[in-house]
Amino acid sequence: MLTLPDVPTLGLCSVLASLAFLGVFVFLWVGRRDESHLLHWAASSLIYAVALLAFASVAGPSLVIGLLYGALSASTLAVLTGVRRFDGLPPFRPWLLLPILVSCLGYLLPALAFGVDSPASRIGGTVGSIVTMLVVGLSLALGRAPQPSRGRRIAGAALLVYVPSFLVAIAAEAVGGSSVNMAALVPLLADQVLLAVLNLGLIAMPGERAQAALRDAALRDPLTGAWNRAGLRALEAPRLRPGTAVIVLDIDHFKDLNDRHGHALGDRVLTALAGCIRGIAPEPDAFLARLGGDEFVMIVPDRSPAEACWLADEIRLATQRVPDLPAWTISLGIARVEPGEADFAAAIERADRSLYRAKAEGRDRAAA
């Protein structure tokens, strides 16, 4: 029959697990010195391990124990500061001190009124831990992120799952009748699973970002930053609906431009064209892909034919205002996705025919 482990044994297991993850984060940081978020997560593991060891050895005044409850909250908040650093945001905000203050006072006030080791003081400290877990867990699981991340959501979910264990601990302390510190026992039991889930979720985040960057690089044109043909195929489904405007454009006499001024200047013109398009119709409102050479296609949803023509003309005029380049112009062809079309191929073909009509009519214009 299974027996319930005691608090010191569970605490030791959590300390060893935290030190192991501390070593992992430090080892990863040694090889990636620019990824300072790893140091925040290492600090989280270190603070947690030190706080647990201090709880096991300190039976001192209420102020010291209150500070240790604050340290537990700080270890959890270091997870959030690391994630903020990972996202390129300032890691610290003054409001992050509030959960630490709630944890300290949550223990100290009942301890002063009812005693250092009273159920009321342990419940108060546990309430502070609940507040911290909710703040950090909800921020990770539901907060806005630069890109979707399963690791982030897993880490956030792990923190939120701690909350029921704290509530069980509070209920057990309120009922009383046990010589065991239930405010420590129940969360430490949860620790044996959730601590690993939390840290593995954090470890997965850099790998997810690297994988997304590789995928993005494979689907984008390295010169202009526009999507390539593979990107167009991979990402067309959510944009494919009847009425979506398709604008095909290229640079007039681009070969002559390259021959007269060199390919380096031709590359600058291509980059300038992509920049003009993004300035007029940035993502995600518009989708820009380079089909090859100097030919681009824009996918613009939710625009009337008149709006698509206006947009095309604005881009044409914007290219004429680019400084430090020889004079150059573009021609554009406009079409729309028709009901029943399974991809953009037919609409691009129609827009391409419009483009050739614009060139036949004298270039430096749009045709629909």
Side-chain angles (χ1 to χ4, degrees):
M1 183 176 177
L2 295 176
T3 58
L4 196 64
D6 55 61
V7 170
T9 301
L10 290 172
L12 180 60
C13 291
S14 293
V15 168
L16 293 175
S18 295
L19 293 177
F21 282 112
L22 167 64
V24 170
F25 288 128
V26 170
F27 180 78
L28 291 174
W29 174 78
V30 168
R32 314 172 193 169
R33 295 296 180 94
D34 58 328
E35 298 187 13
S36 58
H37 56 271
L38 294 168
L39 292 179
H40 288 256
W41 297 338
S44 171
S45 296
L46 178 61
I47 295 170
Y48 187 60
V50 170
L52 289 181
L53 289 172
F55 267 115
S57 57
V58 171
S62 57
L63 177 61
V64 174
I65 299 177
L67 292 175
L68 290 179
Y69 274 104
L72 290 179
S73 289
S75 71
T76 306
L77 289 166
V79 171
L80 180 58
T81 61
V83 171
R84 288 178 59 85
R85 173 65 76 184
F86 180 81
D87 290 340
L89 301 173
F92 179 75
R93 282 288 181 266
W95 63 264
L96 291 174
L97 294 174
L98 291 177
I100 298 176
L101 186 62
V102 169
S103 294
C104 292
L105 294 179
Y107 172 82
L108 281 174
L109 295 179
L112 293 174
F114 302 103
V116 172
D117 198 33
S118 64
S121 63
R122 294 197 293 264
I123 289 173
T126 304
V127 169
S129 297
I130 290 175
V131 170
T132 307
M133 293 296 180
L134 287 173
V135 168
V136 181
L138 290 173
S139 296
L140 298 188
L142 303 179
R144 295 181 62 182
Q147 62 186 33
S149 170
R150 291 184 179 180
R152 180 194 304 258
R153 291 196 295 270
I154 288 171
L159 292 172
L160 292 176
V161 174
Y162 271 105
V163 173
S165 73
F166 286 129
L167 293 176
V168 170
I170 288 175
E173 288 287 349
V175 171
S178 173
S179 59
V180 179
N181 181 352
M182 299 302 291
L185 178 68
V186 179
L188 284 173
L189 274 173
D191 232 12
Q192 308 315 305
V193 174
L194 297 179
L195 189 62
V197 174
L198 165 65
N199 285 289
L200 289 174
L202 296 176
I203 290 171
M205 287 173 58
E208 284 183 301
R209 183 166 68 179
Q211 186 179 37
L214 286 173
R215 180 176 180 272
D216 193 66
L219 299 178
R220 283 193 183 272
D221 170 48
L223 175 63
T224 64
W227 300 98
N228 56 27
R229 285 182 178 270
L232 176 61
R233 287 193 298 270
L235 304 172
E236 69 179 354
R239 298 168 175 83
L240 185 64
R241 52 182 180 267
T244 294
V246 176
I247 304 174
V248 173
L249 60 150
D250 71 8
I251 299 167
D252 297 326
H253 302 297
F254 184 64
K255 183 178 183 303
D256 293 341
L257 193 69
N258 268 335
D259 291 342
R260 286 199 309 271
H261 301 284
H263 290 281
L265 186 132
D267 288 348
R268 289 173 57 197
V269 171
L270 290 170
T271 304
L273 173 57
C276 288
I277 295 171
R278 291 194 194 94
I280 301 296
E283 292 185 5
D285 297 330
F287 180 90
L288 175 65
R290 185 182 179 190
L291 299 178
D294 62 322
E295 190 172 23
F296 293 80
V297 61
M298 284 180 61
I299 310 297
V300 190
D302 305 321
R303 296 291 181 100
S304 68
E307 289 174 324
C309 291
W310 173 86
L311 181 64
D313 209 47
E314 285 294 304
I315 293 169
R316 184 183 62 82
L317 294 173
T319 61
Q320 298 174 7
R321 297 191 293 267
V322 177
D324 303 323
L325 287 175
W328 55 285
T329 60
I330 62 172
S331 298
L332 308 95
I334 306 167
R336 298 207 310 164
V337 175
E338 300 295 338
E341 293 183 339
D343 54 34
F344 284 113
I348 290 174
E349 185 177 347
R350 290 193 297 273
D352 215 26
R353 289 199 296 268
S354 296
L355 170 63
Y356 282 111
R357 190 167 72 251
K359 288 184 176 295
E361 293 172 356
R363 294 183 167 86
D364 190 20
R365 67 193 64 212

